[in-house]
PDB file of all heavy atoms in Angstrom:
ATOM      1  N   TYR A 682       0.815  -1.187   0.012  1.00  0.00           N
ATOM      2  CA  TYR A 682       0.013   0.005  -0.005  1.00  0.00           C
ATOM      3  C   TYR A 682       0.858   1.263  -0.010  1.00  0.00           C
ATOM      4  O   TYR A 682       1.997   1.243   0.498  1.00  0.00           O
ATOM      5  CB  TYR A 682      -0.909   0.032   1.232  1.00  0.00           C
ATOM      6  CG  TYR A 682      -1.752  -1.166   1.425  1.00  0.00           C
ATOM      7  CD1 TYR A 682      -1.351  -2.212   2.233  1.00  0.00           C
ATOM      8  CD2 TYR A 682      -3.005  -1.280   0.804  1.00  0.00           C
ATOM      9  CE1 TYR A 682      -2.167  -3.325   2.411  1.00  0.00           C
ATOM     10  CE2 TYR A 682      -3.795  -2.338   0.974  1.00  0.00           C
ATOM     11  CZ  TYR A 682      -3.362  -3.404   1.762  1.00  0.00           C
ATOM     12  OH  TYR A 682      -4.177  -4.494   1.919  1.00  0.00           O
ATOM     13  N   LEU A 683       0.302   2.300  -0.516  1.00  0.00           N
ATOM     14  CA  LEU A 683       0.882   3.642  -0.391  1.00  0.00           C
ATOM     15  C   LEU A 683      -0.197   4.574   0.098  1.00  0.00           C
ATOM     16  O   LEU A 683      -1.095   4.922  -0.656  1.00  0.00           O
ATOM     17  CB  LEU A 683       1.493   4.130  -1.713  1.00  0.00           C
ATOM     18  CG  LEU A 683       2.232   5.459  -1.617  1.00  0.00           C
ATOM     19  CD1 LEU A 683       3.515   5.303  -0.772  1.00  0.00           C
ATOM     20  CD2 LEU A 683       2.554   6.006  -2.985  1.00  0.00           C
ATOM     21  N   GLN A 684      -0.133   4.918   1.373  1.00  0.00           N
ATOM     22  CA  GLN A 684      -1.054   5.929   1.919  1.00  0.00           C
ATOM     23  C   GLN A 684      -0.493   7.296   1.683  1.00  0.00           C
ATOM     24  O   GLN A 684       0.613   7.605   2.093  1.00  0.00           O
ATOM     25  CB  GLN A 684      -1.209   5.652   3.433  1.00  0.00           C
ATOM     26  CG  GLN A 684      -2.144   6.667   4.110  1.00  0.00           C
ATOM     27  CD  GLN A 684      -3.587   6.536   3.650  1.00  0.00           C
ATOM     28  OE1 GLN A 684      -4.134   5.438   3.564  1.00  0.00           O
ATOM     29  NE2 GLN A 684      -4.225   7.676   3.347  1.00  0.00           N
ATOM     30  N   MET A 685      -1.274   8.106   0.976  1.00  0.00           N
ATOM     31  CA  MET A 685      -0.845   9.448   0.589  1.00  0.00           C
ATOM     32  C   MET A 685      -1.725  10.468   1.277  1.00  0.00           C
ATOM     33  O   MET A 685      -2.928  10.541   0.986  1.00  0.00           O
ATOM     34  CB  MET A 685      -0.892   9.613  -0.933  1.00  0.00           C
ATOM     35  CG  MET A 685      -0.061   8.550  -1.680  1.00  0.00           C
ATOM     36  SD  MET A 685       0.005   8.870  -3.486  1.00  0.00           S
ATOM     37  CE  MET A 685      -1.725   8.624  -3.866  1.00  0.00           C
ATOM     38  N   ASN A 686      -1.138  11.264   2.126  1.00  0.00           N
ATOM     39  CA  ASN A 686      -1.857  12.318   2.839  1.00  0.00           C
ATOM     40  C   ASN A 686      -1.321  13.671   2.479  1.00  0.00           C
ATOM     41  O   ASN A 686      -0.241  13.798   1.896  1.00  0.00           O
ATOM     42  CB  ASN A 686      -1.736  12.136   4.351  1.00  0.00           C
ATOM     43  CG  ASN A 686      -2.337  10.822   4.850  1.00  0.00           C
ATOM     44  OD1 ASN A 686      -3.317  10.334   4.340  1.00  0.00           O
ATOM     45  ND2 ASN A 686      -1.735  10.248   5.891  1.00  0.00           N
ATOM     46  N   SER A 687      -2.104  14.688   2.745  1.00  0.00           N
ATOM     47  CA  SER A 687      -1.704  16.068   2.445  1.00  0.00           C
ATOM     48  C   SER A 687      -1.241  16.243   1.021  1.00  0.00           C
ATOM     49  O   SER A 687      -0.196  16.810   0.741  1.00  0.00           O
ATOM     50  CB  SER A 687      -0.586  16.518   3.441  1.00  0.00           C
ATOM     51  OG  SER A 687      -1.046  16.442   4.775  1.00  0.00           O
ATOM     52  N   LEU A 688      -2.012  15.703   0.118  1.00  0.00           N
ATOM     53  CA  LEU A 688      -1.594  15.680  -1.281  1.00  0.00           C
ATOM     54  C   LEU A 688      -1.507  17.116  -1.880  1.00  0.00           C
ATOM     55  O   LEU A 688      -2.302  18.014  -1.517  1.00  0.00           O
ATOM     56  CB  LEU A 688      -2.581  14.861  -2.121  1.00  0.00           C
ATOM     57  CG  LEU A 688      -2.386  13.343  -1.967  1.00  0.00           C
ATOM     58  CD1 LEU A 688      -3.628  12.594  -2.429  1.00  0.00           C
ATOM     59  CD2 LEU A 688      -1.153  12.912  -2.779  1.00  0.00           C
ATOM     60  N   LYS A 689      -0.559  17.257  -2.739  1.00  0.00           N
ATOM     61  CA  LYS A 689      -0.298  18.513  -3.424  1.00  0.00           C
ATOM     62  C   LYS A 689      -0.465  18.347  -4.946  1.00  0.00           C
ATOM     63  O   LYS A 689      -0.271  17.256  -5.455  1.00  0.00           O
ATOM     64  CB  LYS A 689       1.136  18.983  -3.136  1.00  0.00           C
ATOM     65  CG  LYS A 689       1.460  19.113  -1.675  1.00  0.00           C
ATOM     66  CD  LYS A 689       2.924  19.462  -1.489  1.00  0.00           C
ATOM     67  CE  LYS A 689       3.312  19.545  -0.011  1.00  0.00           C
ATOM     68  NZ  LYS A 689       4.740  19.862   0.175  1.00  0.00           N
ATOM     69  N   PRO A 690      -0.737  19.442  -5.647  1.00  0.00           N
ATOM     70  CA  PRO A 690      -0.792  19.285  -7.135  1.00  0.00           C
ATOM     71  C   PRO A 690       0.473  18.717  -7.721  1.00  0.00           C
ATOM     72  O   PRO A 690       0.430  18.028  -8.753  1.00  0.00           O
ATOM     73  CB  PRO A 690      -1.024  20.757  -7.577  1.00  0.00           C
ATOM     74  CG  PRO A 690      -1.775  21.353  -6.455  1.00  0.00           C
ATOM     75  CD  PRO A 690      -1.185  20.755  -5.234  1.00  0.00           C
ATOM     76  N   GLU A 691       1.612  18.968  -7.094  1.00  0.00           N
ATOM     77  CA  GLU A 691       2.895  18.415  -7.580  1.00  0.00           C
ATOM     78  C   GLU A 691       2.967  16.927  -7.486  1.00  0.00           C
ATOM     79  O   GLU A 691       3.885  16.300  -8.063  1.00  0.00           O
ATOM     80  CB  GLU A 691       4.072  19.047  -6.791  1.00  0.00           C
ATOM     81  CG  GLU A 691       4.091  20.563  -6.834  1.00  0.00           C
ATOM     82  CD  GLU A 691       3.241  21.172  -5.741  1.00  0.00           C
ATOM     83  OE1 GLU A 691       3.727  21.279  -4.576  1.00  0.00           O
ATOM     84  OE2 GLU A 691       2.119  21.618  -6.031  1.00  0.00           O
ATOM     85  N   ASP A 692       2.068  16.321  -6.729  1.00  0.00           N
ATOM     86  CA  ASP A 692       2.032  14.836  -6.637  1.00  0.00           C
ATOM     87  C   ASP A 692       1.326  14.187  -7.832  1.00  0.00           C
ATOM     88  O   ASP A 692       1.315  12.963  -7.924  1.00  0.00           O
ATOM     89  CB  ASP A 692       1.328  14.417  -5.359  1.00  0.00           C
ATOM     90  CG  ASP A 692       2.083  14.877  -4.103  1.00  0.00           C
ATOM     91  OD1 ASP A 692       3.307  14.718  -4.057  1.00  0.00           O
ATOM     92  OD2 ASP A 692       1.437  15.293  -3.167  1.00  0.00           O
ATOM     93  N   THR A 693       0.703  14.961  -8.674  1.00  0.00           N
ATOM     94  CA  THR A 693       0.050  14.480  -9.812  1.00  0.00           C
ATOM     95  C   THR A 693       0.949  13.646 -10.751  1.00  0.00           C
ATOM     96  O   THR A 693       1.989  14.214 -11.171  1.00  0.00           O
ATOM     97  CB  THR A 693      -0.671  15.569 -10.642  1.00  0.00           C
ATOM     98  OG1 THR A 693      -1.657  16.199  -9.818  1.00  0.00           O
ATOM     99  CG2 THR A 693      -1.295  15.075 -11.898  1.00  0.00           C
ATOM    100  N   ALA A 694       0.657  12.428 -11.030  1.00  0.00           N
ATOM    101  CA  ALA A 694       1.506  11.576 -11.845  1.00  0.00           C
ATOM    102  C   ALA A 694       0.793  10.212 -12.002  1.00  0.00           C
ATOM    103  O   ALA A 694      -0.195   9.920 -11.339  1.00  0.00           O
ATOM    104  CB  ALA A 694       2.850  11.388 -11.171  1.00  0.00           C
ATOM    105  N   VAL A 695       1.378   9.386 -12.846  1.00  0.00           N
ATOM    106  CA  VAL A 695       1.064   7.999 -12.835  1.00  0.00           C
ATOM    107  C   VAL A 695       1.950   7.271 -11.865  1.00  0.00           C
ATOM    108  O   VAL A 695       3.157   7.444 -11.861  1.00  0.00           O
ATOM    109  CB  VAL A 695       1.220   7.370 -14.248  1.00  0.00           C
ATOM    110  CG1 VAL A 695       0.930   5.861 -14.214  1.00  0.00           C
ATOM    111  CG2 VAL A 695       0.265   8.063 -15.270  1.00  0.00           C
ATOM    112  N   TYR A 696       1.337   6.539 -10.953  1.00  0.00           N
ATOM    113  CA  TYR A 696       2.055   5.843  -9.904  1.00  0.00           C
ATOM    114  C   TYR A 696       2.207   4.363 -10.243  1.00  0.00           C
ATOM    115  O   TYR A 696       1.222   3.721 -10.610  1.00  0.00           O
ATOM    116  CB  TYR A 696       1.351   5.981  -8.568  1.00  0.00           C
ATOM    117  CG  TYR A 696       1.593   7.370  -7.933  1.00  0.00           C
ATOM    118  CD1 TYR A 696       1.036   8.522  -8.478  1.00  0.00           C
ATOM    119  CD2 TYR A 696       2.409   7.504  -6.804  1.00  0.00           C
ATOM    120  CE1 TYR A 696       1.257   9.775  -7.945  1.00  0.00           C
ATOM    121  CE2 TYR A 696       2.637   8.739  -6.256  1.00  0.00           C
ATOM    122  CZ  TYR A 696       2.067   9.865  -6.841  1.00  0.00           C
ATOM    123  OH  TYR A 696       2.321  11.078  -6.303  1.00  0.00           O
ATOM    124  N   TYR A 697       3.424   3.882 -10.154  1.00  0.00           N
ATOM    125  CA  TYR A 697       3.742   2.501 -10.503  1.00  0.00           C
ATOM    126  C   TYR A 697       4.246   1.724  -9.286  1.00  0.00           C
ATOM    127  O   TYR A 697       5.050   2.223  -8.517  1.00  0.00           O
ATOM    128  CB  TYR A 697       4.824   2.446 -11.560  1.00  0.00           C
ATOM    129  CG  TYR A 697       4.461   3.050 -12.894  1.00  0.00           C
ATOM    130  CD1 TYR A 697       4.736   4.399 -13.124  1.00  0.00           C
ATOM    131  CD2 TYR A 697       3.838   2.302 -13.884  1.00  0.00           C
ATOM    132  CE1 TYR A 697       4.374   4.983 -14.356  1.00  0.00           C
ATOM    133  CE2 TYR A 697       3.541   2.846 -15.074  1.00  0.00           C
ATOM    134  CZ  TYR A 697       3.760   4.199 -15.340  1.00  0.00           C
ATOM    135  OH  TYR A 697       3.449   4.748 -16.532  1.00  0.00           O
ATOM    136  N   CYS A 698       3.788   0.499  -9.159  1.00  0.00           N
ATOM    137  CA  CYS A 698       4.261  -0.400  -8.176  1.00  0.00           C
ATOM    138  C   CYS A 698       5.339  -1.280  -8.841  1.00  0.00           C
ATOM    139  O   CYS A 698       5.230  -1.666 -10.012  1.00  0.00           O
ATOM    140  CB  CYS A 698       3.110  -1.304  -7.701  1.00  0.00           C
ATOM    141  SG  CYS A 698       3.548  -2.605  -6.527  1.00  0.00           S
ATOM    142  N   ALA A 699       6.366  -1.575  -8.115  1.00  0.00           N
ATOM    143  CA  ALA A 699       7.515  -2.358  -8.609  1.00  0.00           C
ATOM    144  C   ALA A 699       8.040  -3.347  -7.579  1.00  0.00           C
ATOM    145  O   ALA A 699       7.917  -3.069  -6.371  1.00  0.00           O
ATOM    146  CB  ALA A 699       8.622  -1.432  -9.100  1.00  0.00           C
ATOM    147  N   GLY A 700       8.580  -4.423  -8.004  1.00  0.00           N
ATOM    148  CA  GLY A 700       9.172  -5.405  -7.162  1.00  0.00           C
ATOM    149  C   GLY A 700      10.546  -5.886  -7.585  1.00  0.00           C
ATOM    150  O   GLY A 700      10.894  -5.834  -8.785  1.00  0.00           O
ATOM    151  N   LYS A 701      11.350  -6.304  -6.661  1.00  0.00           N
ATOM    152  CA  LYS A 701      12.674  -6.808  -6.937  1.00  0.00           C
ATOM    153  C   LYS A 701      13.103  -7.815  -5.908  1.00  0.00           C
ATOM    154  O   LYS A 701      12.649  -7.771  -4.771  1.00  0.00           O
ATOM    155  CB  LYS A 701      13.676  -5.655  -6.967  1.00  0.00           C
ATOM    156  CG  LYS A 701      13.897  -4.999  -5.639  1.00  0.00           C
ATOM    157  CD  LYS A 701      14.907  -3.813  -5.686  1.00  0.00           C
ATOM    158  CE  LYS A 701      16.290  -4.233  -6.029  1.00  0.00           C
ATOM    159  NZ  LYS A 701      16.893  -5.066  -4.934  1.00  0.00           N
ATOM    160  N   THR A 702      14.011  -8.674  -6.316  1.00  0.00           N
ATOM    161  CA  THR A 702      14.634  -9.558  -5.308  1.00  0.00           C
ATOM    162  C   THR A 702      15.666  -8.758  -4.617  1.00  0.00           C
ATOM    163  O   THR A 702      16.179  -7.734  -5.100  1.00  0.00           O
ATOM    164  CB  THR A 702      15.260 -10.787  -5.970  1.00  0.00           C
ATOM    165  OG1 THR A 702      16.157 -10.331  -7.019  1.00  0.00           O
ATOM    166  CG2 THR A 702      14.190 -11.635  -6.631  1.00  0.00           C
ATOM    167  N   GLY A 703      16.040  -9.203  -3.411  1.00  0.00           N
ATOM    168  CA  GLY A 703      16.998  -8.465  -2.644  1.00  0.00           C
ATOM    169  C   GLY A 703      16.361  -7.293  -1.896  1.00  0.00           C
ATOM    170  O   GLY A 703      15.131  -7.190  -1.787  1.00  0.00           O
ATOM    171  N   GLY A 704      17.169  -6.406  -1.442  1.00  0.00           N
ATOM    172  CA  GLY A 704      16.718  -5.288  -0.602  1.00  0.00           C
ATOM    173  C   GLY A 704      16.300  -4.071  -1.364  1.00  0.00           C
ATOM    174  O   GLY A 704      16.232  -4.053  -2.582  1.00  0.00           O
ATOM    175  N   ILE A 705      16.031  -3.009  -0.625  1.00  0.00           N
ATOM    176  CA  ILE A 705      15.531  -1.783  -1.189  1.00  0.00           C
ATOM    177  C   ILE A 705      16.528  -1.168  -2.182  1.00  0.00           C
ATOM    178  O   ILE A 705      17.729  -1.176  -1.998  1.00  0.00           O
ATOM    179  CB  ILE A 705      15.237  -0.785  -0.043  1.00  0.00           C
ATOM    180  CG1 ILE A 705      14.014  -1.184   0.749  1.00  0.00           C
ATOM    181  CG2 ILE A 705      15.139   0.634  -0.563  1.00  0.00           C
ATOM    182  CD1 ILE A 705      13.809  -0.323   1.965  1.00  0.00           C
ATOM    183  N   ALA A 706      15.965  -0.595  -3.254  1.00  0.00           N
ATOM    184  CA  ALA A 706      16.725   0.200  -4.206  1.00  0.00           C
ATOM    185  C   ALA A 706      15.865   1.403  -4.581  1.00  0.00           C
ATOM    186  O   ALA A 706      14.649   1.342  -4.543  1.00  0.00           O
ATOM    187  CB  ALA A 706      17.097  -0.610  -5.398  1.00  0.00           C
ATOM    188  N   THR A 707      16.544   2.519  -4.962  1.00  0.00           N
ATOM    189  CA  THR A 707      15.842   3.712  -5.355  1.00  0.00           C
ATOM    190  C   THR A 707      15.884   3.994  -6.839  1.00  0.00           C
ATOM    191  O   THR A 707      15.290   4.928  -7.303  1.00  0.00           O
ATOM    192  CB  THR A 707      16.377   4.892  -4.580  1.00  0.00           C
ATOM    193  OG1 THR A 707      17.782   5.084  -4.850  1.00  0.00           O
ATOM    194  CG2 THR A 707      16.189   4.730  -3.067  1.00  0.00           C
ATOM    195  N   MET A 708      16.595   3.153  -7.588  1.00  0.00           N
ATOM    196  CA  MET A 708      16.715   3.315  -9.013  1.00  0.00           C
ATOM    197  C   MET A 708      15.722   2.421  -9.745  1.00  0.00           C
ATOM    198  O   MET A 708      15.601   1.230  -9.397  1.00  0.00           O
ATOM    199  CB  MET A 708      18.121   3.066  -9.521  1.00  0.00           C
ATOM    200  CG  MET A 708      19.167   4.006  -8.976  1.00  0.00           C
ATOM    201  SD  MET A 708      20.802   3.690  -9.656  1.00  0.00           S
ATOM    202  CE  MET A 708      21.119   2.048  -8.980  1.00  0.00           C
ATOM    203  N   PRO A 709      14.977   2.893 -10.712  1.00  0.00           N
ATOM    204  CA  PRO A 709      14.025   2.050 -11.425  1.00  0.00           C
ATOM    205  C   PRO A 709      14.679   0.801 -12.007  1.00  0.00           C
ATOM    206  O   PRO A 709      14.029  -0.250 -12.047  1.00  0.00           O
ATOM    207  CB  PRO A 709      13.480   2.981 -12.508  1.00  0.00           C
ATOM    208  CG  PRO A 709      13.619   4.376 -11.975  1.00  0.00           C
ATOM    209  CD  PRO A 709      14.889   4.326 -11.165  1.00  0.00           C
ATOM    210  N   LEU A 710      15.890   0.929 -12.510  1.00  0.00           N
ATOM    211  CA  LEU A 710      16.539  -0.248 -13.164  1.00  0.00           C
ATOM    212  C   LEU A 710      16.824  -1.377 -12.146  1.00  0.00           C
ATOM    213  O   LEU A 710      17.115  -2.480 -12.619  1.00  0.00           O
ATOM    214  CB  LEU A 710      17.843   0.188 -13.848  1.00  0.00           C
ATOM    215  CG  LEU A 710      17.652   0.997 -15.110  1.00  0.00           C
ATOM    216  CD1 LEU A 710      19.023   1.418 -15.638  1.00  0.00           C
ATOM    217  CD2 LEU A 710      16.877   0.220 -16.166  1.00  0.00           C
ATOM    218  N   GLY A 711      16.747  -1.124 -10.905  1.00  0.00           N
ATOM    219  CA  GLY A 711      16.920  -2.153  -9.879  1.00  0.00           C
ATOM    220  C   GLY A 711      15.752  -3.069  -9.722  1.00  0.00           C
ATOM    221  O   GLY A 711      15.880  -4.119  -9.058  1.00  0.00           O
ATOM    222  N   TYR A 712      14.601  -2.753 -10.325  1.00  0.00           N
ATOM    223  CA  TYR A 712      13.381  -3.534 -10.135  1.00  0.00           C
ATOM    224  C   TYR A 712      13.082  -4.409 -11.340  1.00  0.00           C
ATOM    225  O   TYR A 712      13.229  -3.951 -12.486  1.00  0.00           O
ATOM    226  CB  TYR A 712      12.207  -2.579  -9.814  1.00  0.00           C
ATOM    227  CG  TYR A 712      12.331  -1.991  -8.464  1.00  0.00           C
ATOM    228  CD1 TYR A 712      13.192  -0.909  -8.225  1.00  0.00           C
ATOM    229  CD2 TYR A 712      11.651  -2.510  -7.384  1.00  0.00           C
ATOM    230  CE1 TYR A 712      13.300  -0.359  -6.933  1.00  0.00           C
ATOM    231  CE2 TYR A 712      11.786  -1.952  -6.105  1.00  0.00           C
ATOM    232  CZ  TYR A 712      12.615  -0.908  -5.904  1.00  0.00           C
ATOM    233  OH  TYR A 712      12.744  -0.387  -4.658  1.00  0.00           O
ATOM    234  N   ASN A 713      12.625  -5.564 -11.071  1.00  0.00           N
ATOM    235  CA  ASN A 713      12.374  -6.593 -12.092  1.00  0.00           C
ATOM    236  C   ASN A 713      10.951  -6.618 -12.596  1.00  0.00           C
ATOM    237  O   ASN A 713      10.712  -7.037 -13.755  1.00  0.00           O
ATOM    238  CB  ASN A 713      12.773  -7.973 -11.551  1.00  0.00           C
ATOM    239  CG  ASN A 713      14.160  -8.043 -10.982  1.00  0.00           C
ATOM    240  OD1 ASN A 713      14.326  -8.124  -9.772  1.00  0.00           O
ATOM    241  ND2 ASN A 713      15.151  -8.001 -11.852  1.00  0.00           N
ATOM    242  N   TYR A 714       9.996  -6.260 -11.726  1.00  0.00           N
ATOM    243  CA  TYR A 714       8.601  -6.398 -12.066  1.00  0.00           C
ATOM    244  C   TYR A 714       7.880  -5.073 -11.869  1.00  0.00           C
ATOM    245  O   TYR A 714       8.136  -4.360 -10.897  1.00  0.00           O
ATOM    246  CB  TYR A 714       7.921  -7.470 -11.223  1.00  0.00           C
ATOM    247  CG  TYR A 714       8.558  -8.853 -11.406  1.00  0.00           C
ATOM    248  CD1 TYR A 714       9.496  -9.309 -10.488  1.00  0.00           C
ATOM    249  CD2 TYR A 714       8.239  -9.650 -12.505  1.00  0.00           C
ATOM    250  CE1 TYR A 714      10.063 -10.545 -10.674  1.00  0.00           C
ATOM    251  CE2 TYR A 714       8.811 -10.865 -12.657  1.00  0.00           C
ATOM    252  CZ  TYR A 714       9.720 -11.329 -11.728  1.00  0.00           C
ATOM    253  OH  TYR A 714      10.349 -12.586 -11.905  1.00  0.00           O
ATOM    254  N   TRP A 715       6.945  -4.756 -12.776  1.00  0.00           N
ATOM    255  CA  TRP A 715       6.260  -3.488 -12.744  1.00  0.00           C
ATOM    256  C   TRP A 715       4.780  -3.672 -12.980  1.00  0.00           C
ATOM    257  O   TRP A 715       4.361  -4.511 -13.810  1.00  0.00           O
ATOM    258  CB  TRP A 715       6.802  -2.535 -13.803  1.00  0.00           C
ATOM    259  CG  TRP A 715       8.192  -2.112 -13.516  1.00  0.00           C
ATOM    260  CD1 TRP A 715       9.339  -2.776 -13.845  1.00  0.00           C
ATOM    261  CD2 TRP A 715       8.597  -0.901 -12.868  1.00  0.00           C
ATOM    262  NE1 TRP A 715      10.435  -2.026 -13.419  1.00  0.00           N
ATOM    263  CE2 TRP A 715       9.999  -0.899 -12.821  1.00  0.00           C
ATOM    264  CE3 TRP A 715       7.884   0.146 -12.294  1.00  0.00           C
ATOM    265  CZ2 TRP A 715      10.755   0.162 -12.211  1.00  0.00           C
ATOM    266  CZ3 TRP A 715       8.595   1.175 -11.687  1.00  0.00           C
ATOM    267  CH2 TRP A 715      10.009   1.167 -11.665  1.00  0.00           C
TER     268      TRP A 715
END
């Protein structure tokens, strides 16, 4: 889940869920499934 509070116009976007083996990564290329 992603709980989003106090939303701002700058938050407007398409939001994607992604998964990967191993630990957390912040780069999109680190994720295997979208």
